[in-house]
Amino acid sequence: MKNAAAAAVTIGIFDGVHQGHRALLSAARATGLPVTALTFDPHPAALLSPSRVPPLLGTLSERRELLLQNGADSVLTLPFDRALSALTPEAFVADVLVKRVGAGVVIVGEDFRYGCERRGTIDSLRAEGERHGFSVQVVPSVFIEGVPARSTVIRQMLLGGQPEAATKLLGRPHALTGKVVRGKQLGRTLGFPTANLVCPPNILIPAPGVYAGRAGEFLAAISIGVNVTIDERAQSTVEAYLIGFEGDLYGQNLTLEFHKFIRPMQKFANLDELITAIQSDIVQVKTVNIN
């Protein structure tokens, strides 16, 4: 019998907190127990395979907020270090799930593995649950229009310039937050002042191109990449023209939502052609159905 303080625990990296993760949280909420989302930072690959660390779909604080918005009552973040990675499956269950979290129910995906060298399986987790007094629920993978809702798939979509497809798997538009800094102010010179963002390290930036998006209450034409019409050797930037906005955003954090890919970055023959293209971009942004 589970005690009254038992928690429904779901475990994962939860990068992006996509539709698959939401299914885990929904199952946890259905138990009627307080829901704890157990996650890890940094990404395990940073320790186990540094050359293969994926760009993340959001910061740790954004992940935590999304988990709380989507059903978690609390979020426990464990540092993924040598000590944690060395825990046997049995020790992970006893030290983390039982002693630290007080699991009454553990909710996991069908491909869940745990413990040193990922030796723990769902069958071993169920056996440990019988020993320690918690049950295990397995949530099937989520498919949206035949596509699996997985962080790796969403990354591929965003890096391939497919924000609309990524939105379906995320359950919301992909968002990128950064601090607004002073750029070369070329946009202001051309009549389209933009907010230049400096984004946190190791955060996924969508493929180069021009996007229709939103920044708060304002529609935004978002440009990612190098303005090759001006300087092919310049650094890649993330900047946005907020339609109808007047003011100063320098030093503030700005969140951009990506709704639709409009066009790739292009080299124009002169500034007049560039201005015409920007005007066309803005017209297209205004026609996109952005809620």
Side-chain angles (χ1 to χ4, degrees), residues 199-280:
C199 302
N202 202 36
I203 295 299
L204 187 143
I205 295 175
V210 177
Y211 296 81
R214 179 178 289 280
E217 62 183 288
F218 296 94
L219 296 176
I222 306 168
S223 173
I224 295 178
V226 177
N227 190 330
V228 291
T229 303
I230 305 300
D231 184 358
E232 294 183 358
R233 297 170 297 178
Q235 290 186 333
S236 179
T237 61
V238 177
E239 51 188 301
Y241 173 66
L242 278 57
I243 300 173
F245 174 79
E246 295 181 5
D248 186 348
L249 294 170
Y250 293 127
Q252 299 182 39
N253 284 330
L254 182 68
T255 298
L256 302 176
E257 292 181 354
F258 292 80
H259 289 256
K260 183 177 182 179
F261 183 86
I262 294 179
R263 64 171 174 85
M265 299 298 285
Q266 297 173 245
K267 184 172 183 177
F268 298 97
N270 51 55
L271 290 182
D272 286 339
E273 285 192 8
L274 174 59
I275 291 171
T276 299
I278 294 173
Q279 291 171 334
S280 176

Side-chain angles (χ1 to χ4, degrees), residues 163-174:
E164 291 171 295
T167 294
K168 293 178 182 178
L169 300 191
L170 283 167
R172 67 181 191 286
H174 175 65

Side-chain angles (χ1 to χ4, degrees), residues 171-182:
R172 67 181 191 286
H174 175 65
L176 183 64
T177 300
K179 180 170 287 188
V180 179
V181 299
R182 291 187 183 276

Side-chain angles (χ1 to χ4, degrees), residues 53 122 242:
V53 180
I122 291 175
L242 278 57

Side-chain angles (χ1 to χ4, degrees), residues 15-245:
D15 187 28
V17 191
H18 53 61
Q19 299 279 42
H21 299 142
R22 294 184 188 189
L24 294 172
L25 292 164
S26 178
R29 288 224 66 84
T31 66
L33 297 173
V35 177
T36 296
L38 175 60
T39 189
F40 310 92
D41 186 69
H43 192 287
L47 177 69
L48 303 176
S49 184
S51 64
R52 300 177 61 187
V53 180
L56 300 179
L57 298 171
T59 65
L60 178 61
S61 61
E62 290 168 342
R63 189 193 322 168
R64 180 181 184 278
E65 185 60 30
L66 285 167
L67 287 167
L68 293 173
Q69 289 175 4
N70 286 279
D73 295 300
S74 63
V75 179
L76 175 60
T77 304
L78 297 182
F80 196 89
D81 53 19
R82 293 288 179 189
L84 183 64
S85 69
L87 288 179
T88 64
E90 296 78 12
F92 179 82
V93 168
D95 297 347
V96 177
L97 295 183
V98 177
K99 292 181 182 178
R100 186 156 184 178
V101 186
V105 183
V106 177
I107 297 93
V108 295
E110 56 190 5
D111 58 352
F112 178 72
R113 302 296 290 265
Y114 65 103
C116 181
E117 299 179 347
R118 293 170 53 85
R119 293 199 301 262
T121 65
I122 291 175
D123 286 341
S124 67
L125 184 63
R126 284 196 170 110
E128 290 295 312
E130 291 179 5
R131 183 178 306 156
H132 291 283
F134 63 80
S135 61
V136 176
Q137 291 185 21
V138 179
V139 176
S141 297
V142 172
F143 288 80
I144 308 294
E145 298 179 0
V147 180
R150 295 184 183 135
S151 302
T152 52
V153 176
I154 294 167
R155 293 188 195 107
Q156 291 168 357
M157 289 174 167
L158 292 170
L159 292 173
Q162 303 175 67
E164 291 171 295
T167 294
K168 293 178 182 178
L169 300 191
L170 283 167
R172 67 181 191 286
H174 175 65
L176 183 64
T177 300
K179 180 170 287 188
V180 179
V181 299
R182 291 187 183 276
K184 295 182 178 180
Q185 298 192 317
L186 174 65
R188 188 176 300 276
T189 302
L190 299 177
F192 308 98
T194 59
N196 281 257
L197 267 64
V198 173
C199 302
N202 202 36
I203 295 299
L204 187 143
I205 295 175
V210 177
Y211 296 81
R214 179 178 289 280
E217 62 183 288
F218 296 94
L219 296 176
I222 306 168
S223 173
I224 295 178
V226 177
N227 190 330
V228 291
T229 303
I230 305 300
D231 184 358
E232 294 183 358
R233 297 170 297 178
Q235 290 186 333
S236 179
T237 61
V238 177
E239 51 188 301
Y241 173 66
L242 278 57
I243 300 173
F245 174 79

